[in-house]
Amino acid sequence: MNVQRMLVSATIAAAGAAVVLMAVPALAHHSSAPFYDATKRVEAQGPVTKFLFKNPHSFLYFEEATAQGKVEWQVELGAAAGLTRTGWTPETLKPGTLIKVNGQPSRAEGSHGMCCARITRADGSPIVAGGRVTEEEQPPK
Amino acid sequence: MLAWLEGTALATWTRESPSIWAYPLVLTLHTVGLGIVVGASAVIDLRLLGVARRISMPSLAPLFRITLWAFVLNTLTGVLLFIADATHKAGQTVFYIKLGLIALALWNTVLARRVVLGPTQNDAAPSSRHSRLAVVSLLLWFGAITAGRLMAYL
């Protein structure tokens, strides 16, 4: 195979790959699929217990009161560097703040984890005034 | 010790800085360094396998120094990425597998350097020793990259 034909083939392959990537909107970062089930949604609410604002991924913890007692949820968020660009700071969610979270559930049996969540205050208003409520369109981790 | 490392100012900066010039830059440099280390090694390996035979083996010598400097960059950025999350990463088996594969790959590179800089006949078919060094190198780097990537998932 001559060099020119190889280059043409490589270009076609790259273009094909680009089309596939664009057709899968979920692939912005890297897949959360090994950990979270994108076909399901769960919702819970309660007071924030802990907010770890860090790289490469932040974690938000809150406590839901259920009939069986209290359950602590772990919500995986984007990097501190990314959250900052959406107007969030480490002080945005202080312990005790009431929030409502709707996200993809963790695949781990018996765990209470979520990713790719829509997070609002208990009344449905955005966490940051005027800010968006969907923290990440897709995949952490 | 690990907790102390994680609490140092440098580790805290890497982990908690909201700046795009902090963690994202460190991670990017780590990836660029990886590209250069493994890329330059792959060039040497391919030549050992008989690809591009018009390039004389000794003329590849500068690639070893480039590999070394890129490796230094990755050691520095790797230390930052490690200390930012020391207690977790130190408990990951796949992290030690990654370090072990890198150590073996570097040792293999030292052996390959002797061959490349030694007396060679350019147009000769690759010897089985050359091929072995090259294949082992490619497999070790492939394994090290895989182990490193898996650290985010296991």
Side-chain angles (χ1 to χ4, degrees):
Chain A
M1 193 190 270
N2 66 39
V3 173
Q4 206 171 355
R5 270 173 59 195
M6 277 172 71
L7 282 173
V8 170
S9 309
T11 307
I12 292 169
V19 168
V20 171
L21 287 174
M22 282 187 287
V24 185
L27 282 176
H29 184 185
H30 50 124
S31 179
S32 60
F35 301 105
Y36 302 97
D37 189 344
T39 65
K40 296 183 185 140
R41 300 297 289 189
V42 283
E43 186 168 298
Q45 52 185 318
V48 170
T49 50
K50 196 165 50 167
F51 182 27
L52 301 179
F53 193 79
K54 65 190 187 83
N55 296 300
H57 291 280
S58 301
F59 288 92
L60 172 66
Y61 298 82
F62 70 98
E63 209 165 56
E64 181 193 20
T66 70
Q68 287 79 39
K70 285 180 175 173
V71 166
E72 189 176 51
W73 284 89
Q74 181 196 58
V75 186
E76 186 162 359
L77 305 173
L83 284 178
T84 300
R85 297 167 77 83
T86 70
W88 285 40
T89 73
E91 311 304 319
T92 298
L93 288 169
K94 295 198 173 69
T97 310
L98 289 174
I99 55 168
K100 194 194 293 185
V101 186
N102 182 305
Q104 299 173 11
S106 163
R107 292 183 188 277
E109 206 64 47
S111 69
H112 292 87
M114 276 190 233
C115 86
C116 320
R118 177 187 153 90
I119 305 170
T120 62
R121 296 191 185 274
D123 64 3
S125 64
I127 300 294
V128 176
R132 59 186 207 201
V133 292
T134 305
E135 187 276 320
E136 269 208 7
E137 284 304 325
Q138 252 306 301
K141 199 65 210 170
Chain B
M1 172 67 181
L2 292 167
W4 173 81
L5 268 178
E6 217 171 271
T8 57
L10 199 56
T12 305
W13 173 80
T14 310
R15 182 177 58 250
E16 293 171 21
S17 170
S19 170
I20 202 151
W21 300 105
Y23 191 93
L25 177 66
V26 173
L27 193 55
T28 300
L29 289 177
H30 198 65
T31 312
V32 170
L34 160 64
I36 297 172
V37 169
V38 180
S41 297
V43 168
I44 294 163
D45 296 334
L46 289 171
R47 176 62 187 86
L48 284 170
L49 286 171
V51 174
R53 277 185 219 179
R54 284 172 63 189
I55 300 172
S56 80
M57 290 256 209
S59 67
L60 295 176
L63 290 181
F64 289 99
R65 192 173 309 147
I66 291 168
T67 301
L68 178 66
W69 282 111
F71 188 78
V72 168
L73 172 69
N74 269 30
T75 304
L76 295 174
T77 51
V79 164
L80 282 180
L81 294 170
F82 175 79
I83 63 174
D85 189 30
T87 50
H88 173 233
K89 290 197 164 52
Q92 288 190 287
T93 309
V94 73
F95 174 63
Y96 298 100
I97 293 173
K98 167 180 163 172
L99 292 187
L101 290 171
I102 292 171
L104 291 173
L106 286 180
W107 174 240
N108 194 80
T109 301
V110 170
L111 297 179
R113 183 169 179 271
R114 279 186 209 154
V115 168
V116 169
L117 300 187
T120 47
Q121 282 163 327
N122 273 326
D123 294 329
S127 71
S128 62
R129 175 172 157 74
H130 289 185
S131 304
R132 203 165 53 235
L133 280 169
V135 169
V136 167
S137 168
L138 290 168
L139 289 176
L140 287 172
W141 285 122
F142 181 80
I145 292 171
T146 305
R149 197 70 283 258
L150 281 176
M151 285 173 68
Y153 293 92
L154 298 179

